Amino acid sequence: VQLVESGGGSVQAGGSMRLSCAASGNTGSSRCLGWFRQAPGKEREGVATIYTGGSQTAYTDSVKGRSTVSQDKEKAMVYLQMNSLKPDDTAMYYCAARKPGVYCTWASKDYDYWGQGTQVTVS
């Protein structure tokens, strides 16, 4: 599976942004897709996950209630809509995928495929 993120950029605090992740390759199998982020000097952290088979979603506490992860199966796209952005949301955001048929986790080491990342800067 190949993953390509897009949609990052600069936004003022309180604004919104939608990140996109385009998947290619073996996209027909149900699998977990995760959004992770890494700020300078900090560890990579999980932000949101979605299981493509049943669209089950999960969010880390810091974005819960102001972010939505969704998918478009026909287009093999996964999205992360983030609202009420804060400076603490500034980070490189990555889309990641696990091998088919395994459940979502928050551990980046569990993910087998990664995109190149897209920068989100909130000021």
Side-chain angles (χ1 to χ4, degrees), residues 24-66:
S24 59
N26 182 18
T27 60
S29 302
S30 296
R31 66 173 76 228
C32 178
L33 274 292
W35 284 99
F36 289 78
R37 65 185 180 187
Q38 188 166 20
K42 294 187 178 181
E43 293 187 357
R44 191 170 296 189
E45 64 169 345
V47 176
T49 64
I50 183 168
Y51 190 77
T52 62
S55 294
Q56 295 95 333
T57 59
Y59 303 89
T60 193
D61 286 346
S62 62
V63 305
K64 197 175 294 182
R66 58 187 185 94

Side-chain angles (χ1 to χ4, degrees), residues 55-102:
S55 294
Q56 295 95 333
T57 59
Y59 303 89
T60 193
D61 286 346
S62 62
V63 305
K64 197 175 294 182
R66 58 187 185 94
S67 296
T68 303
V69 58
S70 61
Q71 64 172 331
D72 184 329
K73 290 184 179 181
E74 289 188 2
K75 297 181 179 179
M77 296 288 295
V78 174
Y79 306 99
L80 180 66
Q81 175 70 42
M82 298 187 294
N83 302 319
S84 302
L85 283 162
K86 307 173 183 179
D88 284 349
D89 294 316
T90 295
M92 185 72 79
Y93 283 72
Y94 298 91
C95 178
R98 297 201 69 185
K99 293 178 180 177
V102 295

